[in-house]
Amino acid sequence: MKALVGALGAMAACAAIAQQPRSPAEEIERYRAAIGEANPAELWEARGEALWKEKRGPKKASLEHCDIGLGPGAVKGAYTVLPKYFADSDKVEDLESRLVTCMVTLQGFTREQARKDPFGGPGKKVPMDALVAYVTAQSRGMKMNVSLDHPKEKEAYELGKRIFFYRAGPHDFGCVTCHGSDNQRIRLQDLPNLTKAADAQRAYDTWPAYRVSQGEVRSMQWRLNDCFRQARFPELEFVSPASIALTTFLAHSANGGTFDGPGMKR
Amino acid sequence: MDRGRRSVLTGTGGAAVLGLAFAAGLLRPGSARAEAWNKAAFETRSLNDAVKALGGAPPTQSAEITLSSPDIAENGAVVPFTITSKLPKTESIALLVEKNPNILAANFQIPEGTEPWINTRIKMGQTSNVYALVKADGKYYYASKEVKVTLGGCGG
Amino acid sequence: MSAQHVDLDAKTVAVLKSSFKANGQATLDRLDQDEVQKLCSGHDLAQPVDKAVAERIEKSQQATIKYPQGSLLGDWKNGEKIAQSGVGKQYSDDPTAVAGGNCYACHQLTKAELAYGTIGPSLYNFGKLRGFTPETQRYAYAKVYNAEAFSACSNMPRFGYHGILTEQQIKDVVALLMDPESPVNK
Amino acid sequence: MSDPMKIRATMVGDKVEVKVLMSHEMETGQRKDAKGATIPAWFIQNVSATCNGKTVLSAQWGPAVSKNPFLSFRFSGGKPGDKVVIAWTDNHEDKRTDEVTIA
């Protein structure tokens, strides 16, 4: 990519060849390539790793024995099997939900405390963003492999699919409004068609992501919360059943794709 | 999270960067560090004033400076630039954004042995000319280019 | 439709209601669907809408359109501002702020604005291509007021029907599309 | 307390290429909070990089440098095993120094 850009630049500089201005889409592609060279999400990953190992909460315990899908303490590749059914909580859980569960069971926080402040902001660093960045980064380069074998997993998928197609609110929007057709964009942002495997993989595999516009790492839970805000819905609650069902639908649709998060987005 | 912040931004046009002027009172001019930092230069609004505050005469355009960036930034909060100077005895490289409230964004001192090459990221409040200002052998030179800043999103 | 599907549809609504909380102007009743929303949910955009359903929606929605007295052509300059702004109805929006139509999110309009979306068709030269006639003005007004009256299960919000834009604002958007002096027609 | 920087220093030919990410708000002093009050400026002003005691880069920044700043530069005279030390000071006189071994 970089070599190609260089070659185009050299051509444009050559007086014998009429200058061909690049299209806005090509320029945006150059922009993304340039900012992709260094992702500030690495700062969150480092903080998350320290938090994972730190003895916290009333029980003064670390999260190192948390089972996030591949057994207690296994972090590598765990994100690729989430969301999944956990027998101990008798629920389908996504990563954020599972971290809340471990903060309660291992560290002794109340559920209320563990769910509080799920998203960081200017001048406010929260543990959840950092933990999500750390855990997901340990699945980079691995294939998404979400199972629907358990009846509760299958049900979460089916509910998530219906939520995806559910239209409501003053704008009649649903997820499908922006994410149900090929090759569309909102302003200049490409919209993945989340009903198709290739697009679902491309989108899901790059969340969580460092959002350039906000200077924050944003989790999948945040992504869904903010989509519903812009779709003019009420506020989606953190690790709510609908959020986990929708994540199950999206994650399963992305199966087979290689996870490449935390990514970097506008 | 702080939704209010977002609504304030949206209300003024959706740009993630509003303005960069800052209250002089916050800079603690009494401290040694603040004195080392060229406050006057960071308060200027034009290329010539910035160079003057840095102690130079008006700069001349030079083809020996390459200012490289995408022509369109998807978001003004992070705009990547690479600056290369082929001018002999390059001493410093600065980045300036014409339409930011204060023009000077950053100034890098290049000691001998360090390549006159910098890659960094700055904020742009809107579409603007950007200058790479190079001090070489005691004189100031510049190159410039326009970078378009776009808005986006469903709520913008 | 199987019993299992009916169960899941009912459960979907229950799960949604247990998962959202009211925030400012975005109250929980926003999860309640009207007839159009209900009929259009579950619809795969790759498939055409069932003909009978489409006719039913378009007919019922035609009846909702309220045309103003007098000229339909407002101020295209204000129309451009409305087209640029996405403010309105989000819980993060000030409910007293002037709302926008966010037309550029989905449509190309003028040549000058490069950051336009493609969910809807390009509207560049809208009036020039269709002719600057009163009929086209009336169509443009009605389409912005209630897009479901023309295209069932459209992705376009019903700006007049849902009170997202005022009558004057819709006239300004019509002017952006239909005024020969508007940059849309240049 | 500020978070550590993420620094990489690698040999590119006979030169050392340094890439550094810093954790900092880089608040402009122009934004307003939800209540309309101005959020005070808070940004890194001075940056320095040294290798074997010699300054290889120094910089002065304004609030227009992006949040969580990124910087890359190249210098001669370093070799694998040497340490590159980066330090910053902000307008609240917070400081941070981190180092990395050249790979």
Side-chain angles (χ1 to χ4, degrees), chain D residues 2-82:
Chain D
S2 54
D3 288 327
M5 291 176 237
K6 195 91 192 174
I7 312 170
R8 285 197 181 90
T10 50
M11 298 303 298
V12 176
D14 60 347
K15 294 204 165 116
V16 180
E17 180 171 274
V18 180
K19 290 185 177 184
V20 51
L21 281 164
M22 304 172 187
S23 178
H24 204 284
E25 288 292 328
M26 300 303 287
E27 191 61 63
T28 63
Q30 279 283 295
R31 293 191 318 115
K32 289 187 170 31
D33 66 16
K35 294 186 185 87
T38 301
I39 304 169
W42 180 29
F43 59 97
I44 293 173
Q45 290 185 316
N46 289 281
V47 180
S48 71
T50 54
C51 180
N52 300 328
K54 178 185 177 291
T55 298
V56 290
L57 191 80
S58 61
Q60 292 194 4
W61 288 356
V65 169
S66 298
K67 179 174 177 178
N68 299 316
F70 170 72
L71 168 65
S72 179
F73 61 96
R74 299 168 186 152
F75 66 92
S76 312
K79 59 183 185 306
D82 289 353

Side-chain angles (χ1 to χ4, degrees), chain C residues 148-183:
Chain C
E148 296 288 340
F150 301 90
S151 170
C153 302
S154 164
N155 284 329
M156 182 162 152
R158 293 172 277 176
F159 290 100
Y161 175 76
H162 273 307
I164 301 164
L165 296 177
T166 64
E167 182 183 294
Q168 183 57 47
Q169 283 184 308
I170 300 177
K171 290 204 277 190
D172 292 342
V173 173
V174 171
L176 180 67
L177 296 168
M178 289 297 295
D179 192 322
E181 294 309 308
S182 160

Side-chain angles (χ1 to χ4, degrees), chain D residues 74-94:
Chain D
R74 299 168 186 152
F75 66 92
S76 312
K79 59 183 185 306
D82 289 353
K83 281 193 166 60
V84 175
V85 181
I86 312 236
W88 57 251
T89 311
D90 69 19
N91 67 320
H92 292 174
E93 291 180 40
D94 278 343

Side-chain angles (χ1 to χ4, degrees), chain C residues 61 64-65 141-150 158-161:
Chain C
Q61 296 304 295
T64 71
I65 299 167
Y141 187 93
K143 177 83 184 185
V144 176
Y145 191 95
N146 190 338
E148 296 288 340
F150 301 90
R158 293 172 277 176
F159 290 100
Y161 175 76

Side-chain angles (χ1 to χ4, degrees), chain C residues 51-168:
Chain C
K51 213 173 154 207
V53 170
E55 275 172 14
R56 187 170 144 200
I57 290 173
E58 286 163 19
K59 196 169 168 224
S60 76
Q61 296 304 295
Q62 272 291 348
T64 71
I65 299 167
K66 293 191 189 81
Y67 294 92
Q69 302 285 316
S71 171
L72 295 177
L73 222 51
D75 174 2
W76 69 259
K77 288 190 181 112
N78 198 39
E80 167 71 11
K81 282 185 201 148
I82 294 163
Q84 289 283 3
S85 165
V87 172
K89 305 280 186 195
Q90 298 168 117
Y91 54 75
S92 51
D93 290 325
D94 175 355
T96 64
V98 176
N102 215 12
C103 314
Y104 281 106
C106 301
H107 297 281
Q108 182 183 32
L109 287 136
T110 63
K111 271 279 178 238
E113 181 54 83
L114 298 175
Y116 59 86
T118 61
I119 296 171
S122 170
L123 302 175
Y124 179 61
N125 278 348
F126 182 91
K128 206 171 166 183
L129 290 171
R130 289 165 181 80
F132 299 109
T133 64
E135 292 73 31
T136 311
Q137 282 182 17
R138 207 171 151 81
Y139 163 71
Y141 187 93
K143 177 83 184 185
V144 176
Y145 191 95
N146 190 338
E148 296 288 340
F150 301 90
S151 170
C153 302
S154 164
N155 284 329
M156 182 162 152
R158 293 172 277 176
F159 290 100
Y161 175 76
H162 273 307
I164 301 164
L165 296 177
T166 64
E167 182 183 294
Q168 183 57 47

